[in-house]
Amino acid sequence: MQARKKSNAQGIDVSRYQGNIDWKMAKADGISFAFIKASQGQRYVDPTFTTNAKGARAAGVLLGAYHFLDATSVEAAKAEARHFADVLDQVGGAKALDLPAVMDYENNPGNLSKTLISAVALAFLLELERLTGRKPIIYTGNAFAANFNASLGGYPLWIARYSDTRVPSDTVTWKRWDIWQYSDSGKIKGIAGNVDLNEFDGTADELRTRFNKKGENTVAEKQRDINKVSPWAADVWEEMTKNGYFDGTRPGAPITREEAAAALSRLRQNILKGDK
């Protein structure tokens, strides 16, 4: 992935562990944006969320919020998205934030397969967008990002890799980061103790534009050509089209229920014929 630049906007992410924060001092120390923990699981609410949100806004720090995902099923993920949306209503809702809401998905307590991890993530993201009207951001660690498939590639990436110089490694799904969390032991005026440090790939003005509230993330969405096969899927797509499961057109397009039924029908017919 790409390297950092001196002109990039600097930010932090905080939770109750940072205690009382002097947001004016943090702003004066070069902090342009902040993501504040709002919730976790289906019930937990960070006790400092609303206080931090008000403080960041008053200081002129661009405001975002994140939810720590615990879900191990699609239904649990949807429930967590509903909880997150409810908590965001305490500060005016997701549309009142300067930056999109964030799904923090960084571990696998249920020992799920990669397929299920992606399904859980997508269920949360789609439900949250349905409830809030804004496309979320994905936060994850560099190693854990390898669990996510191409269905998540259209979401902005906030990646964790703690290094001043060593860039995050490319993954199958992402080759660039939007935000890089490069330290978990930063020192910022107005905050006692350590704090996570982040960098946006652009200036503060570009950050405002990148995640504006009117049609945000349209650039990322336009990058996918549905008529071209993603490199990671080339071999399996060739196999499936060769065996007649798909007709070979629009490999990157969303599949309809009718198309899924046709593919399953072909699959069943080939199985009955003994096709291997």
Side-chain angles (χ1 to χ4, degrees):
M1 297 186 184
Q2 78 273 26
R4 298 168 58 195
K5 300 192 294 281
K6 290 183 178 180
S7 59
N8 283 350
Q10 300 298 309
I12 55 176
D13 59 276
V14 300
S15 67
R16 65 183 179 88
Y17 294 108
Q18 275 66 52
N20 295 324
I21 297 174
D22 187 325
W23 285 98
K24 290 183 178 179
M25 288 185 66
K27 171 72 172 178
D29 201 23
I31 296 304
S32 298
F33 67 94
F35 287 101
I36 297 168
K37 185 173 184 178
S39 51
Q40 180 172 340
Q42 296 185 32
R43 296 185 179 181
Y44 179 79
V45 179
D46 189 291
T48 62
F49 173 55
T50 55
T51 299
N52 279 330
K54 291 177 182 177
R57 278 174 170 161
V61 174
L62 296 175
L63 175 62
Y66 71 92
H67 172 92
F68 191 98
L69 192 71
D70 289 332
T72 57
S73 71
V74 165
E75 289 306 313
K78 292 179 179 178
E80 290 197 28
R82 292 191 289 271
H83 173 51
F84 186 22
D86 287 343
V87 175
L88 292 178
D89 285 341
Q90 297 178 11
V91 296
K95 289 186 177 180
L97 301 175
D98 300 301
L99 307 174
V102 176
M103 175 191 72
D104 179 345
Y105 195 0
E106 57 183 275
N107 58 20
N108 185 16
N111 196 29
L112 305 181
S113 67
K114 289 184 177 182
T115 299
L116 284 176
I117 287 173
S118 291
V120 165
L122 189 60
F124 178 93
L125 294 163
L126 291 176
E127 180 71 359
L128 185 63
E129 185 172 3
R130 183 186 72 81
L131 293 168
T132 66
R134 295 190 74 183
K135 188 171 186 175
I137 292 172
I138 295 174
Y139 167 90
T140 193
N142 202 169
F144 197 79
N147 291 299
F148 297 127
N149 64 31
S151 67
L152 301 168
Y155 289 92
L157 177 65
W158 174 13
I159 192 88
R161 182 166 199 172
Y162 303 139
S163 173
D164 287 332
T165 56
R166 190 179 180 188
V167 302
S169 301
D170 287 356
T171 71
V172 168
T173 305
W174 290 283
K175 307 301 181 187
R176 297 183 63 83
W177 49 268
D178 284 279
I179 301 167
W180 176 4
Q181 185 184 79
Y182 60 88
S183 176
D184 62 349
S185 57
K187 302 294 183 182
I188 295 295
K189 293 178 181 178
I191 300 177
N194 295 336
V195 65
D196 295 337
L197 299 179
N198 302 279
E199 185 166 301
F200 170 71
D201 185 30
T203 66
D205 286 339
E206 289 170 334
L207 175 58
R208 292 186 185 92
T209 302
R210 173 70 174 85
F211 297 118
N212 67 76
K213 300 168 191 176
K214 297 180 181 178
E216 59 192 349
N217 303 333
T218 53
V219 173
E221 290 172 358
K222 290 179 181 177
Q223 289 178 348
R224 180 70 204 268
D225 183 350
I226 65 170
N227 295 308
K228 294 182 179 180
V229 180
S230 297
W232 66 270
D235 291 342
V236 70
W237 181 252
E238 181 181 3
E239 178 189 351
M240 292 298 101
T241 53
K242 182 178 180 180
N243 286 320
Y245 302 143
F246 293 93
D247 61 12
T249 63
R250 303 180 305 115
I255 188 169
T256 65
R257 292 170 66 119
E258 294 167 324
E259 290 170 325
L264 289 171
S265 176
R266 294 168 189 162
L267 177 62
R268 182 183 61 190
Q269 291 169 5
N270 284 333
I271 290 175
L272 292 175
K273 286 189 285 187
D275 177 38
K276 297 182 181 179

